[in-house]
Amino acid sequence: MEVQLTNRQQHILWATVRHYIATAEPVGSKALVEEYDLGVSSATIRNVMGVLEKSGLLYQPHASAGRVPSDSGYRIYVDQLITPSLRSRSVSQTDVTRSLLPRSRSVPQGGGTETLGREVEVALQKQLQWQDRSLETLLQGAAQILATLSGCISLITMPQTTTALLRHLQLVQIEAGRIMLIVVTDGYETHSKLMDLSPTPEETQRDSEVIDRELQIVSNFLNSHLRGRSLLELAYLNWSELDQEFQRYGEFLKNSVAELTRRTLAPTATQIMVRGVSEVLRQPEFSQLQQVQTIIHLLEEEQDQLWRLIFEEPEPEDGDKPKVTVRIGAENPLEPIRTCTLISSNYRRGSIPVGSVGVLGPTRLDYESAIAVVASAADYLSEAFNYFNP
């Protein structure tokens, strides 16, 4: 959502969200004046809150009540106004963070979420010695610690057990500009995909035998790098290693091979370990019995739907850190959790996602902490999984 806010509007939105997260009470201008050093009058704050309401970022649950953040308000808060360790910092975030802390709190000297992430890692390492545990026992313990630290429902999927290995790969020219990719697994299953190379006018004049020779060289390159390895690793090959004369094949192979891999090795739903339900359901947002029942039904009886939501299609991730996905309120496609926030990340074997870790709670969530907790747990589980599966 693209909303351009002034520095003052950012400050007041930040303070409103923070105050509502802490109190679960609609926020008025008087509370912000008393609790935050905004440097403006109560009347100015009311006017700004009115503008934020017209923009759809705040709303009044009752005519005489203060304001509370909408899903869109939380989205702006998460994307632009907080500094969890995996999210880039906007120009004004340092000022927002340092100037809008409640007067009763001391100003942190930076690195708050990094410190929290480190605390999560220390807690996991101290309480879970994976050398002395089975993987399942380790995941159960991690789920309980994650629920305790986040105050949310924790969700950890059992890892994928797909073991199909590449036996042979071949690129074959069918006609000018059309190439078939053929993949044979160690179980002698064959998969194929027809690809369009979209040749330039010059390339259409090239001898078919020359193109066949090039395709054989590229096939040899792929086989030498991937034979005997997991088929998922096709999507993670370093295509820059192709010789310069074959670089023209790189981009279309990268996209087509990744698509073929995802199609032929679609992840299968695994058990989700769930912890922390009783604590979260005591939150005021879950006072309606029917809502609680639908969430519990989803967690217990429809885990396959939830699994598809938190374990996203494997895709290359930038850098060494896993991507953290934050779905707020109506962004969730599953009806029982459209008033909740779901934060998730994949844990990996090497660079390949094999499972997911996440937290589910009300939209009134300490996002900065929750994102850092999920990211650190995913890092820890990746390290543990690689220990069990060297």
Side-chain angles (χ1 to χ4, degrees):
M1 179 180 182
E2 292 294 331
V3 177
Q4 297 296 323
L5 300 179
T6 66
N7 284 341
R8 177 174 291 175
Q9 290 168 346
Q10 286 186 337
H11 281 56
I12 291 174
L13 177 61
W14 187 95
T16 303
V17 173
R18 293 297 298 176
H19 193 78
Y20 183 66
I21 289 172
T23 66
E25 296 289 339
V27 183
S29 58
K30 182 180 178 181
L32 297 186
V33 168
E34 293 174 349
E35 294 293 326
Y36 297 87
D37 187 12
L38 296 172
V40 294
S41 68
S42 179
T44 298
I45 293 174
R46 280 196 301 274
N47 289 337
V48 172
M49 293 178 82
V51 172
L52 295 173
E53 183 176 0
K54 290 179 181 179
S55 299
L57 306 181
L58 301 176
Y59 70 94
Q60 284 184 292
H62 309 289
S64 59
R67 270 91 167 184
V68 301
S70 66
D71 291 350
S72 298
Y74 283 124
R75 173 52 62 193
I76 295 294
Y77 175 78
V78 168
D79 288 347
Q80 300 180 23
L81 304 180
I82 62 174
T83 57
S85 56
L86 297 188
R87 292 184 177 271
S88 59
R89 181 174 299 193
S90 66
V91 174
S92 61
Q93 281 176 330
T94 299
D95 294 336
V96 170
T97 303
R98 292 185 180 277
S99 65
L100 292 182
L101 289 167
R103 289 171 176 160
S104 59
R105 302 176 191 172
S106 60
V107 177
Q109 299 305 309
T113 53
E114 287 79 0
T115 301
L116 177 60
R118 180 58 185 158
E119 289 175 357
V120 173
E121 293 176 8
V122 169
L124 290 167
Q125 291 168 358
K126 184 179 296 184
Q127 298 184 47
L128 300 176
Q129 299 297 323
W130 69 60
Q131 295 85 347
D132 303 323
R133 295 170 179 260
S134 68
L135 178 61
E136 184 171 353
T137 302
L138 176 74
L139 294 177
Q140 290 172 345
Q144 186 58 59
I145 292 172
L146 185 60
T148 301
L149 292 175
S150 68
C152 298
I153 298 172
S154 66
L155 308 165
I156 298 182
T157 68
M158 289 292 288
Q160 291 288 295
T161 57
T162 300
T163 57
L165 304 178
L166 178 70
R167 182 178 182 86
H168 186 72
L169 181 151
Q170 190 71 39
L171 293 167
V172 179
Q173 181 179 207
I174 303 300
E175 58 186 29
R178 305 203 79 190
I179 297 170
M180 178 170 286
L181 169 66
I182 303 170
V183 171
V184 183
T185 69
D186 58 335
Y188 293 95
E189 294 181 345
T190 302
H191 307 281
S192 63
K193 177 174 175 54
L194 194 61
M195 305 177 292
D196 292 318
L197 182 57
S198 300
T200 63
E202 294 78 9
E203 290 173 335
T204 57
Q205 304 301 318
R206 299 176 67 204
D207 192 306
S208 176
E209 292 184 2
V210 174
I211 295 177
D212 286 340
R213 285 197 297 270
E214 288 187 351
L215 291 176
Q216 186 59 56
I217 292 172
V218 176
S219 297
N220 292 342
F221 167 83
L222 295 171
N223 281 305
S224 67
H225 278 69
L226 295 168
R227 182 180 289 115
R229 294 165 67 181
S230 166
L231 201 57
L232 278 174
E233 294 183 55
L234 282 167
Y236 294 85
L237 181 65
N238 183 5
W239 298 95
S240 64
E241 294 180 11
L242 276 171
D243 289 340
Q244 187 63 41
E245 61 184 306
F246 304 125
Q247 283 294 330
R248 66 194 190 91
Y249 294 113
E251 189 61 31
F252 94 98
L253 274 174
K254 177 181 178 181
N255 297 331
S256 299
V257 167
E259 179 186 338
L260 176 65
T261 303
R262 287 194 291 267
R263 190 181 69 197
T264 58
L265 279 181
T268 55
T270 56
Q271 176 189 356
I272 302 176
M273 297 180 178
V274 180
R275 297 291 186 276
V277 175
S278 59
E279 291 298 322
V280 170
L281 296 184
R282 293 193 184 102
Q283 297 290 334
E285 288 85 352
F286 302 110
S287 59
Q288 298 293 324
L289 179 60
Q290 184 176 1
Q291 180 190 15
V292 171
Q293 289 174 334
T294 58
I295 292 175
I296 292 177
H297 180 76
L298 175 67
L299 296 174
E300 293 182 349
E301 305 296 334
E302 298 180 349
Q303 283 199 0
D304 57 329
Q305 294 187 40
L306 187 59
W307 188 93
R308 287 193 292 270
L309 186 61
I310 65 175
F311 189 84
E312 297 186 73
E313 291 267 330
E315 60 182 26
E317 291 161 341
D318 295 331
D320 297 328
K321 293 292 185 181
K323 182 182 77 170
V324 176
T325 301
V326 181
R327 292 185 175 88
I328 301 171
E331 296 171 1
N332 287 297
L334 301 179
E335 186 62 34
I337 58 172
R338 285 176 66 83
T339 58
C340 302
T341 286
L342 177 63
I343 301 175
S344 61
S345 182
N346 290 335
Y347 63 91
R348 301 174 287 179
R349 180 182 182 183
S351 61
I352 309 301
V354 293
S356 293
V357 53
V359 295
L360 178 69
T363 53
R364 184 184 59 84
L365 189 66
D366 186 348
Y367 287 92
E368 200 162 9
S369 298
I371 292 170
V373 166
V374 168
S376 296
D379 281 343
Y380 176 84
L381 292 179
S382 296
E383 185 178 353
F385 189 81
N386 282 280
Y387 171 84
F388 283 100
N389 299 272

